Amino acid sequence: MSPSAVPHSTASDHFKDDLNLSILGLGVAYPDVKNGPEALDILARRHYPESKALNKVLSINKFTGIDTRSTIATVDHPAVNGSEPPSIAELDNIFRQEGVRLSVNACRKAIKEWGGSIEEITHVVSTTCSNSANPGFDHYVCKQLGIRSNVEKVLLHGIGCSGGLAAIRTAANLALGLSFRHKPARILVLACEITSMMVRSELDSVHKNQEVRIGVCLFGDCASASILSNGVGVPSSTEPIYQLLGWKHDVIEDTEQDLGFDVDPHGWKVILTPRVPMLAAASVQPAFQDLLNSLPRYHKQDLPTTAAEFDWALHPGGLTVLTGVEAAMNLTPEHLRASYEIYMENGNSSSATIMSVMNRLRRDEGGRENVVACAFGPGIIIEMMIMKRPGLAMVNLPTEDLD
């Protein structure tokens, strides 16, 4: 049976014209270290003998389209220079330090831009695929931020690169529940990934199994955060960054073996088959059309109905994912400019990347008012959201490196 791209129609599940859901603050925190493609070559040659599989991986590494990857450490970090790759316990310790630190930084940026008080936060929705400790990393982030212990928390796992958009979707549904009760929702959404420390684990598999594993060429580290509001109690003068209009979640059937992140004694192992770019590209058009059909506002005259009339915040899973969706949807690189820029400058930071792309896109004063956000995760999951930028001529935006 061939995979079916987004087979389950939700066109009958129409969204109301005004959900009154908006993002009021965005924050992104990348680590200070920037590693070029040569960093992987250095580590590989330092620890492994030449082989056909390793040479192939290092060749691919030169043509990913990534100029630099943001990572928490240089190639000389002790954790990636032992006689064996770091254990999952060692990786957990690193995440609890560096991941929590980056997360707190990203959250503080989002909260500062929102301008509200920590006391107003009603929920926290977080996600990661590069840590699975209990309590989750969100517990420690909330403690450092000073968030009340009775604030409800949700930690999403098992959804990989789609996690950032899935977290926003989850927060949106929570916010609608509070709207029904006429209560305010100020939800902190957080995504954090520390993947760079798994480089030795991936190279170990390349060496021992003679597998061509391209995930080791793509991933970096990042934390990103946003504040989502349901509008209850928000001053009418408040201008949101994005208004959320509707969303879609679905699974491409029979593709579990194509994209994954499997647990291993030395962390996690990326599963990424050559079919992924084709599968991802083929799923976007039916998902986009189905989502558009569920939004009554786009049935009206003079509103955009084609993909090219929207800006696109596409998760940059890889260069062929970006170019594949671009071709399938009759887009240009200009439509995906934020995705390309983040990919080239920082690589793929899994779930944390989509909010970084949204953050970059909202800074473009010449952009389109309507935006499609889209990401893919293990399953293969597709997450899609349509948003509106109410104010394009935005001034006094915080800089991306704001502490």
Side-chain angles (χ1 to χ4, degrees), residues 145-179:
L145 290 172
I147 292 175
R148 291 176 287 110
S149 61
N150 62 345
V151 166
E152 296 181 21
K153 297 189 289 292
V154 177
L155 177 56
L156 305 177
H157 193 65
I159 48 178
C161 296
S162 65
L165 211 51
I168 295 175
R169 169 177 56 80
T170 301
N173 280 309
L174 287 171
L176 288 178
L178 287 177
S179 296

Side-chain angles (χ1 to χ4, degrees), residues 66-294:
I66 298 171
D67 294 332
T68 55
R69 285 190 273 170
S70 297
T71 61
I72 61 169
T74 69
V75 294
D76 296 320
H77 192 282
V80 295
N81 284 284
S83 58
E84 296 288 334
S87 68
I88 196 167
E90 292 173 287
L91 294 171
D92 176 59
N93 288 332
I94 292 170
F95 192 103
R96 285 174 185 261
Q97 296 175 33
E98 299 299 331
V100 170
R101 180 183 63 82
L102 281 179
S103 296
V104 169
N105 191 358
C107 290
R108 283 177 174 160
K109 291 180 181 181
I111 292 167
K112 183 172 183 178
E113 181 176 17
W114 160 45
S117 165
I118 287 283
E119 293 297 315
E120 296 177 67
I121 292 176
T122 57
H123 297 73
V124 179
V125 179
S126 307
T127 187
T128 186
C129 65
S130 50
N131 186 261
S132 57
N134 297 280
F137 82 104
D138 58 328
H139 170 84
Y140 300 100
V141 172
C142 288
K143 283 187 72 173
Q144 289 197 27
L145 290 172
I147 292 175
R148 291 176 287 110
S149 61
N150 62 345
V151 166
E152 296 181 21
K153 297 189 289 292
V154 177
L155 177 56
L156 305 177
H157 193 65
I159 48 178
C161 296
S162 65
L165 211 51
I168 295 175
R169 169 177 56 80
T170 301
N173 280 309
L174 287 171
L176 288 178
L178 287 177
S179 296
F180 180 78
R181 298 164 60 194
H182 306 290
K183 292 179 177 292
R186 306 293 183 267
I187 303 176
L188 175 61
V189 181
L190 167 64
C192 178
E193 305 291 359
I194 304 295
T195 63
S196 62
M197 293 290 100
M198 299 176 204
V199 60
R200 283 291 307 281
S201 178
E202 289 286 348
L203 288 173
D204 226 40
S205 291
V206 173
H207 168 62
K208 292 178 179 177
N209 304 328
Q210 287 300 292
E211 299 172 339
V212 177
R213 305 180 64 83
I214 65 171
V216 73
C217 307
L218 301 175
F219 289 96
D221 306 328
C222 179
S224 58
S226 59
I227 299 291
L228 188 142
S229 166
N230 67 350
V232 176
V234 174
S236 58
S237 59
T238 301
E239 186 170 83
I241 301 167
Y242 291 105
Q243 293 174 339
L244 276 56
L245 306 182
W247 49 85
K248 179 178 178 63
H249 163 95
D250 215 325
V251 178
I252 306 173
E253 292 182 348
D254 303 317
T255 59
E256 295 90 346
Q257 74 282 2
D258 288 290
L259 183 60
F261 203 44
D262 283 355
V263 70
D264 183 86
H266 295 290
W268 287 263
K269 302 285 190 181
V270 177
I271 298 171
L272 187 61
T273 73
R275 299 199 317 158
V276 169
M278 175 271 294
L279 292 168
S283 71
V284 174
Q285 176 60 45
F288 172 72
Q289 194 58 57
D290 197 34
L291 179 53
L292 208 61
N293 290 342
S294 72

Side-chain angles (χ1 to χ4, degrees), residues 8 42 105 177 184 214 218 252 270 309 312 329 332 353 375 402:
H8 306 115
I42 292 170
N105 191 358
I214 65 171
L218 301 175
I252 306 173
V270 177
E309 294 175 277
W312 283 72
M329 301 302 292
T332 68
T353 317
L402 178 68

